[in-house]
Amino acid sequence: MAEQRRKPSESSSLSESSASGAVHVDGLTKQYDDVVAVSDLDLHVEPGELLVLLGPSGCGKTTTLRSIAGLEHVTDGTIHFDDEDVTRQAPQRRDVAMVFQSYALYPHKTVRGNLQFPLRKTDISGTEATERVEEIAELLEMETHLDTRPAQLSGGQRQRVAVGRALVRQPHLLCMDEPLSNLDAKLRVETRSELRQLQQRLGITTIYVTHDQEEAMSIADRIAVMNDGRIEQVGTPEDVYERPANEFVASFVGDPPMNFCDPDDVQAAGIETPQSAAGSPDTIGIRPEYIYPTDSRGEPAAGDRVEVDRPSDPVVLTVELIEPVGRAYEIQLTGHGLDLVARLRTRPDDVTEGDSSEFVFDLDRLTTFNDAGEVV
Amino acid sequence: MASTTFMRERIERIDPRRREVLLGYLLVLPSLLLIGGVILYPLIYNVYLGFTEVPLNPDQSPVWIGLENYETLVNSDRFWEATYNTVVFTVASALLATALGLAVALLFDRAFRGRRLARGLVLLPHVTPIIAVAFAWQFMLDPLWGNLPDFLAWLGIYESDVGLLQSRDHALQMAILFDVWRNFPFAFLLFIARLQAIPQSMYEAATIDGAGRFAQFKDIILPELKGTILIAILLRFVWEFNAFEPVWLLTRNLETLPIYAYKSAFSTYNQGLGAAIAVMLFLFQLVMVAVYMRFVGEDEL
Amino acid sequence: MSELRLENVRKEFGSETAVSELSLTADGDLLVLVGPSGCGKSTTLRMIAGLEQPTDGKIFIDGEDVTRRSPSGRSIAMVFQNYALYRTMNVRKNIGYGLKHSSALSKSERIEKVEEIAEMFGISELLDREVSALSGGQKQRVALGRALVRDPDVFLLDEPLSSLDAKLRSQMRTELQRIQQELGVTTIYVTHDQKEAMTMSDRLAVMNDGELQQIGSPEATYVRPENRFVASFLGSPAMNFLDIDVERRNGHTRYLLDSHELVRVSDDTQAIDRPIQLGIRPEDLTLLDDPDDGATTGTVRHVEYQGNDSFVRLEVNGRIVTCVVPASVRPRQGDSVGLNFPPDQIHLFDMDAGDAIRSPSVDASDTRIETGPSTTEGNETDSRGANR
């Protein structure tokens, strides 16, 4: 992951600052009257990393971001940028740039004027400022639009200018609060990969808030999954998806979400349930993509380049519904007290709605939870 | 230079949250002083004057006479007539101006060509200098040259031998008419803003539900505007009760409480009596403001 | 069950044509109108509701011409995007308002009906609440209840789920589908979200620029788009389009990218002598670890991990091609990989007109290759594309 980040090229004046950029949050608590928005939160962001704060609305992710940016007074805890304690510093002295959901561009200024604006308060001026603006415009592929006003730009272009305006000052930290939610679905997918590539090229430490798990997975170096003012898990997208720490993370990350079953039903279906020293599990989770139909020989029909590590015995389930969702099919299955969704890459042969059919589970992919919802 | 750094260090040592609270107090202090000096002092002085007789000689101090001014007022027919005029004027013009404002706002709550221009024109009565429009109205109402008396006579509802502004009964009606014309744009502005905040889809939903125009007015518009209507009427009550220039400039033949106070203080130089009338006006205002606060709350004031 | 039929409906606003020559039929099923903003889908819905008058054309409900009828006179119900609940009434009055104004029911019958529908939507406890005290999901239920309490012949929904969060949305989606199936009411559902459209609909009508592009089952529309617009609108990540040359030799047709063969097919039934564009869905491309194995090679520029899939952006001859692979396949940035274009999955589009001139067969496992857009089984394809 670290080696994916490309080192800044020497010629560019825009990317000298990537040696530093760590953020350390310790014991952060934020209380509004008697509502605790964030409680005792620890978070460490590596220099040059893109960390996503992911969670449902009201989980405290935006409050955390705003506290780090200095837009909220923290009730308790400390925030350090590298070794400097910035907990009590005003936002304008913290060297943070922020990109909001609404682009907040100056409508009467051109793209150039917007990009140049943050430099006014710095000692960068004249030709150096011009150069820097042109350089950032080139990075954003907006160099032909420098003299256009925001009203004439598309939503995606406006968002890029907003990001450019945040980056032109080369801040210690870039904060983004749901920056793509005003764009339509198609543009969102395109813009997020552009944003990610830009961030990697500049190597700028970034904290990114979103409630969209797909967006989080696609752009993050690491994801901090939040709920109820606490961090449930921090890890790479793979960690969070494949090794969730608890039931909340497992249910929040993944589309369609993980199936949760009663171990008794699983056993009744003839699938061996994993046993551990801690006793029998309270809930068993299985991701929809690890349920496979069987082919004519009774083997799991997993499709190209997918391996089933430890297939279970075939289980007969009733196919309630086959939903095409574009690049995959979501299949609702019932039987033995189970109620499951399977995700298949191709329409399965010989499987029709209303009929019963054989399915196989990948036993190595079962996740077990104890009664506290933690992974055993 | 050294002392500013010192100050700065001291300030920075204070916890930022407390710093913010302190700054807050510091910022409202000037306005508190201003309110105290500019508003409270004259008010209290006026109440004091109401209990005195003010001699014409500026070298002599006012003489404390207790409630005598108030006794004089309560026992005079002139005061009661002025009160009657004020109440009729206030209630009628506040209600009519609000109703007319609502009617015009409803008319304007749709897209049509030239709406912005028309809306600007509607505001004219309210923004034109009152001295100009008062003279224009006097001219219109004049028994010799005015076209309004002619028109009313043609309709057969008015004998054009007495000037409309000259007879007391008619003067009150005309003052109300003039004031309604002048002030309906205020209510209009309040209502049009509120009307435009009602989503179009709400009317559409009602149309699909089978509600006709009148049902939509009764079930959607009126409930949505209820608060605004109340505010408009209350504010107009407060202002009309105090209204001086619309009446005074239009006709000298109508006496309301503010005019009575003015005449007492500056025509007959009985400043103590004038102050006493002003105090009674003020008490009425206090009641209205209390009602307003009760219905509307502090936030929207 | 009532049949809704639109015949050559057209709507102009001044000089702008919002909807042109639209004909479609729905009968007891859930038809989704989908398209980008400004495509005319909402205008179409509002014409069915009677909130807009068509400039031309006719609208029939159960064979009766309702084109000139008032909204309340055509037995339709509508759910608006922002719910459009009456803010100054409580939930009970909101639901009962339509009954009061356009039914002959007595007061006690109306009360009964309101309570019945409230139970159906699980909002009985909310009946005496003010609308402003409801959460988004509750408002949504009230809006649905208000619409369905009148037993409409045609049920219209204008982006009803767009203001809900993801979890609530998928919950409401399932609930809506269940209720629609239970009642069997003809339903027209407008959305701009292609995923919602695919999962909700019995049939999908894709619109663009005021014109119906294609109508059919979601799956058939996805697999066999009749023109480039439909192909690019449905699917995420979007279909890849490449400008190619076609060469025919010895009974083969070869598709060339910069004179390099991408794929060779054996059908040559259709003479192709105009500029064409090749389309292939990201999930249909085959990614190979060894660059020498594929028909062409690409360099991995960017990988987006999705848990169950990964999106891989490849640079192929200076063009960016997106490929979806199982998450277990993990190419790394900078890797060279091989790429194959399975002949069964190739779409071809007329470069200028955008019409499909070759599509995969509906059954993807079937290797039979058809040319041109064919009529889909069991579904009418009364769209422009098919008529050409």
Side-chain angles (χ1 to χ4, degrees):
Chain A
M1 175 196 78
E3 63 273 4
Q4 273 190 11
R5 275 199 305 276
R6 220 194 289 169
K7 283 283 159 249
S9 59
E10 306 78 65
S11 62
S12 170
S13 69
L14 269 169
S15 35
E16 292 145 4
S17 60
S18 55
S20 63
V23 176
H24 305 285
V25 178
D26 294 287
L28 174 72
T29 298
K30 174 68 193 177
Q31 214 167 330
Y32 296 100
D33 299 324
D34 41 352
V35 183
V36 180
V38 177
S39 77
D40 196 20
L41 178 136
D42 296 324
L43 185 67
H44 300 278
V45 191
E46 305 280 323
E49 181 181 35
L50 194 156
L51 182 119
V52 172
L53 294 175
L54 172 69
S57 56
C59 72
K61 55 189 191 300
T62 296
T63 308
T64 306
L65 185 80
R66 290 172 57 85
S67 301
I68 293 171
L71 300 170
E72 304 277 353
H73 288 306
V74 304
T75 313
D76 207 356
T78 59
I79 300 164
H80 285 81
F81 286 2
D82 293 325
D83 298 328
E84 196 191 350
D85 185 347
V86 298
T87 318
R88 303 259 173 254
Q89 256 181 25
Q92 61 273 25
R93 299 177 62 191
R94 287 195 190 189
D95 197 15
V96 188
M98 185 115 181
V99 176
F100 296 93
Q101 184 178 334
S102 58
Y103 322 117
L105 296 178
Y106 303 108
H108 56 281
K109 286 195 197 318
T110 60
V111 169
R112 186 192 302 278
N114 269 287
L115 290 177
Q116 213 153 18
F117 193 77
L119 295 178
R120 297 203 323 185
K121 284 270 174 79
T122 66
D123 46 14
I124 301 157
S125 59
T127 50
E128 200 191 340
T130 316
E131 262 169 39
R132 215 185 256 190
V133 165
E134 272 162 16
E135 205 170 329
I136 201 100
E138 203 173 312
L139 267 177
L140 300 166
E141 291 168 26
M142 293 291 295
E143 60 268 42
T144 52
H145 294 87
L146 270 174
D147 297 309
T148 335
R149 278 175 212 281
Q152 284 142 300
L153 300 175
S154 70
Q157 289 173 324
R158 278 183 222 177
Q159 190 54 285
R160 265 188 275 163
V161 176
V163 171
R165 192 178 57 181
L167 291 176
V168 74
R169 215 156 40 86
Q170 299 173 20
H172 180 94
L173 173 70
L174 177 62
C175 293
M176 302 207 223
D177 189 2
E178 309 251 359
L180 303 180
S181 48
N182 274 2
L183 305 180
D184 72 37
K186 194 143 285 177
L187 207 55
R188 207 152 51 213
V189 174
E190 276 169 35
T191 315
R192 77 178 181 217
S193 86
E194 279 170 15
L195 267 185
R196 171 58 167 161
Q197 292 180 55
L198 189 70
Q199 185 269 338
Q200 284 186 334
R201 216 172 308 153
L202 294 175
I204 186 165
T205 312
T206 304
I207 302 180
Y208 186 110
V209 161
T210 182
H211 66 273
D212 181 343
Q213 57 94 24
E214 183 186 314
E215 196 169 297
M217 300 264 269
S218 6
I219 62 164
D221 286 320
R222 286 191 305 150
I223 298 175
V225 183
M226 288 189 69
N227 187 32
D228 270 344
R230 281 172 292 109
I231 290 185
E232 301 278 350
Q233 185 175 3
V234 187
T236 61
E238 292 86 335
D239 286 341
V240 169
Y241 188 81
E242 278 162 26
R243 292 171 291 280
N246 56 41
E247 235 178 291
F248 177 81
V249 175
S251 68
F252 194 79
V253 176
D255 177 39
M258 183 182 271
N259 298 295
F260 295 100
C261 323
D262 189 323
D264 297 341
D265 294 334
V266 176
Q267 231 146 15
I271 300 168
E272 60 173 291
T273 52
Q275 293 297 323
S276 68
S280 57
D282 193 65
T283 307
I284 292 184
I286 175 96
R287 292 231 176 251
E289 61 270 27
Y290 298 129
I291 303 174
Y292 310 94
T294 51
D295 60 19
S296 50
R297 291 161 298 157
E299 300 287 316
D304 283 348
R305 310 196 66 177
V306 180
E307 275 173 27
V308 183
D309 298 322
R310 201 152 62 89
S312 68
D313 292 333
V315 182
V316 176
L317 294 166
T318 310
V319 178
E320 298 287 343
L321 186 68
I322 303 178
E323 270 190 322
V325 289
R327 63 174 200 269
Y329 292 84
E330 291 176 16
I331 303 190
Q332 283 179 27
L333 304 167
T334 54
H336 310 285
L338 297 168
D339 198 345
L340 302 167
V341 173
R343 181 183 188 271
L344 308 176
R345 282 192 179 75
T346 51
R347 185 182 259 282
D349 310 333
D350 317 321
V351 173
T352 42
E353 279 178 23
D355 285 359
S356 292
S357 200
E358 282 189 345
F359 290 86
V360 168
F361 294 61
D362 190 340
L363 294 175
D364 274 1
R365 301 294 189 164
L366 299 185
T367 315
T368 52
F369 302 92
N370 65 17
D371 54 1
E374 291 153 356
V375 169
V376 183
Chain B
M1 200 57 210
S3 73
T4 53
T5 352
F6 173 71
M7 280 297 289
R8 192 175 189 155
E9 273 169 11
R10 286 202 53 169
I11 289 169
E12 285 197 351
R13 228 177 296 148
I14 307 173
D15 180 273
R17 264 160 295 163
R18 274 193 51 210
R19 213 152 70 197
E20 215 156 86
V21 172
L22 280 175
L23 181 69
Y25 284 131
L26 221 69
L27 288 175
V28 293
L29 193 65
S31 41
L32 283 178
L33 287 175
L34 205 72
I35 288 175
V38 178
I39 299 179
L40 285 180
Y41 172 73
L43 207 87
I44 291 164
Y45 189 63
N46 184 63
V47 172
Y48 163 72
L49 281 184
F51 294 113
T52 63
E53 191 176 328
V54 185
L56 282 176
N57 184 343
D59 292 337
Q60 291 169 347
S61 304
V63 183
W64 184 268
I65 54 166
L67 288 171
E68 205 185 295
N69 283 330
Y70 293 95
E71 276 166 31
T72 317
L73 281 179
V74 174
N75 292 320
S76 83
D77 290 345
R78 190 174 169 198
F79 172 74
W80 290 114
E81 200 193 323
T83 306
Y84 168 81
N85 285 340
T86 310
V87 170
V88 171
F89 175 78
T90 300
V91 172
S93 56
L95 292 183
L96 289 174
T98 307
L100 186 61
L102 177 60
V104 179
L106 286 176
L107 222 61
F108 273 66
D109 185 32
R110 66 194 70 180
F112 58 86
R113 200 179 286 268
R115 178 165 71 157
R116 288 174 64 151
L117 180 70
R119 196 190 287 186
L121 290 176
V122 167
L123 295 184
L124 270 184
H126 202 57
V127 297
T128 315
I130 189 162
I131 188 83
V133 287
F135 281 129
W137 272 70
Q138 278 182 352
F139 188 76
M140 271 163 51
L141 294 172
D142 189 280
L144 285 182
W145 319 288
N147 40 22
L148 213 63
D150 276 352
F151 179 65
L152 292 178
W154 180 73
L155 286 179
I157 51 174
Y158 173 66
E159 294 290 334
S160 68
D161 51 356
V162 189
L164 281 167
L165 295 172
Q166 275 70 40
S167 91
R168 287 217 166 174
D169 291 349
H170 290 313
L172 178 59
Q173 291 165 13
M174 289 307 117
I176 290 170
L177 200 67
F178 173 64
D179 198 63
V180 166
W181 172 81
R182 178 154 172 87
N183 287 323
F184 85 89
F186 168 77
F188 164 79
L189 273 185
L190 284 184
F191 294 143
I192 194 85
R194 196 70 200 78
L195 278 175
Q196 277 165 4
I198 302 176
Q200 197 58 34
S201 57
M202 209 129 94
Y203 300 117
E204 288 174 346
T207 309
I208 291 174
D209 272 345
R213 287 222 156 248
F214 180 71
Q216 288 184 24
F217 176 73
K218 182 170 75 72
D219 296 332
I220 295 176
I221 295 179
L222 270 189
E224 288 270 347
L225 290 186
K226 206 171 75 189
T228 316
I229 291 174
L230 206 70
I231 292 174
I233 292 178
L234 277 172
L235 283 176
R236 286 255 63 93
F237 266 17
V238 172
W239 289 329
E240 305 306 357
F241 211 79
N242 270 346
F244 176 82
E245 63 289 9
V247 182
W248 181 255
L249 290 176
L250 191 72
T251 168
R252 299 290 156 90
N253 296 314
L254 181 67
E255 192 165 271
T256 59
L257 286 176
I259 291 172
Y260 185 24
Y262 170 79
K263 281 186 182 165
S264 302
F266 301 110
S267 305
T268 56
Y269 297 102
N270 193 345
Q271 280 174 351
L273 191 70
I277 299 169
V279 167
M280 296 185 81
L281 278 171
F282 178 68
L283 287 178
F284 172 80
Q285 303 292 11
L286 274 188
V287 173
M288 291 314 293
V289 169
V291 172
Y292 182 89
M293 298 287 253
R294 177 80 199 274
F295 279 112
V296 184
E298 224 171 322
D299 292 345
E300 290 179 51
L301 200 78
Chain C
M1 242 184 257
S2 305
E3 185 208 54
L4 168 77
R5 187 153 46 92
L6 271 63
E7 269 181 18
N8 297 320
V9 168
R10 192 155 54 83
K11 177 69 186 174
E12 284 165 18
F13 292 108
S15 59
E16 300 226 346
T17 305
V19 175
S20 60
E21 305 308 319
L22 179 73
S23 298
L24 52 82
T25 311
D27 193 359
D29 56 356
L30 199 161
L31 175 74
V32 173
L33 288 179
V34 68
S37 58
C39 72
K41 56 189 192 299
S42 284
T43 308
T44 305
L45 196 77
R46 292 170 59 81
M47 284 193 288
I48 300 171
L51 296 171
E52 302 281 356
Q53 272 295 318
T55 311
D56 215 345
K58 283 190 161 62
I59 298 168
F60 297 91
I61 294 177
D62 265 342
E64 257 182 90
D65 185 348
V66 298
T67 320
R68 303 277 154 207
R69 268 199 218 156
S70 74
S72 56
R74 19 176 118 178
S75 185
I76 53 106
M78 181 155 165
V79 173
F80 294 82
Q81 186 172 3
N82 57 6
Y83 316 126
L85 295 177
Y86 308 124
R87 297 187 287 206
T88 52
M89 302 180 201
N90 64 17
V91 172
R92 188 186 301 277
K93 284 188 183 148
N94 259 283
I95 298 176
Y97 195 71
L99 290 179
K100 188 173 148 194
H101 284 276
S102 43
S103 76
L105 299 178
S106 71
K107 189 161 185 188
S108 60
E109 284 170 318
R110 295 202 307 255
I111 291 173
E112 202 174 302
K113 201 95 204 279
V114 168
E115 274 166 9
E116 205 174 288
I117 204 93
E119 198 158 315
M120 182 168 170
F121 284 93
I123 48 172
S124 300
E125 280 84 68
L126 305 177
L127 277 176
D128 295 308
R129 288 264 193 99
E130 289 302 315
V131 167
S132 56
L134 301 179
S135 71
Q138 291 171 333
K139 282 185 188 163
Q140 184 64 63
R141 287 207 168 77
V142 174
L144 289 172
R146 182 178 70 174
L148 289 175
V149 74
R150 291 167 51 211
D151 297 326
D153 289 339
V154 178
F155 184 30
L156 307 170
L157 300 116
D158 189 5
E159 310 234 6
L161 304 182
S162 58
S163 31
L164 301 179
D165 69 35
K167 201 165 204 160
L168 209 52
R169 192 156 60 219
S170 77
Q171 210 178 313
M172 286 305 299
R173 199 153 67 190
T174 322
E175 196 170 323
L176 252 177
Q177 271 172 300
R178 177 182 62 81
I179 285 165
Q180 194 273 335
Q181 263 159 21
E182 246 166 56
L183 300 176
V185 57
T186 304
T187 303
I188 312 289
Y189 186 107
V190 160
T191 180
H192 68 274
D193 179 341
Q194 52 103 6
K195 191 183 170 193
E196 189 171 297
M198 298 242 351
T199 48
M200 290 274 318
S201 58
D202 295 326
R203 281 187 310 142
L204 196 65
V206 185
M207 292 185 71
N208 188 35
D209 271 346
E211 288 179 20
L212 183 65
Q213 303 289 321
Q214 184 166 356
I215 185 165
S217 81
E219 197 178 358
T221 315
Y222 183 80
V223 177
R224 303 175 57 82
E226 285 167 9
N227 60 45
R228 194 168 47 208
F229 175 79
V230 176
S232 67
F233 186 78
L234 295 181
S236 172
M239 186 185 273
N240 297 297
F241 294 98
L242 295 166
D243 298 350
I244 53 153
D245 297 313
V246 181
E247 195 179 84
R248 297 204 296 144
R249 188 184 290 170
N250 313 335
H252 288 299
T253 307
R254 305 193 324 142
Y255 302 144
L256 309 170
L257 180 70
D258 301 333
S259 33
H260 181 84
E261 181 183 305
L262 285 183
V263 60
R264 174 197 302 235
V265 292
S266 52
D267 68 302
D268 55 353
T269 45
Q270 180 139 348
I272 301 168
D273 46 7
R274 43 197 158 149
I276 61 166
Q277 213 169 24
L278 176 145
I280 185 149
R281 295 222 175 260
E283 65 270 27
D284 292 336
L285 280 166
T286 318
L287 195 71
L288 304 156
D289 291 335
D290 188 342
D292 299 333
D293 287 351
T296 185
T297 58
T299 313
V300 177
R301 282 274 162 258
H302 188 62
V303 181
E304 286 187 8
Y305 174 76
Q306 297 287 324
N308 42 23
D309 286 327
S310 287
F311 301 167
V312 184
R313 311 232 185 256
L314 299 168
E315 193 177 319
V316 178
N317 281 16
R319 296 169 182 80
I320 296 292
V321 172
T322 306
C323 186
V324 172
V325 296
S328 52
V329 184
R330 298 302 300 276
R332 296 158 63 90
Q333 208 161 314
D335 281 359
S336 274
V337 291
L339 201 60
N340 267 343
F341 291 70
D344 320 344
Q345 309 294 354
I346 300 285
H347 302 252
L348 294 179
F349 300 96
D350 185 309
M351 181 87 84
D352 304 316
D355 292 345
I357 39 188
R358 179 186 195 278
S359 298
S361 53
V362 172
D363 186 352
S365 63
D366 192 342
T367 47
R368 175 178 53 101
I369 290 167
E370 289 177 15
T371 51
S374 75
T375 40
T376 322
E377 300 82 36
N379 287 312
E380 55 199 309
T381 52
D382 46 358
S383 85
R384 251 166 20 93
N387 298 336
R388 290 203 174 174

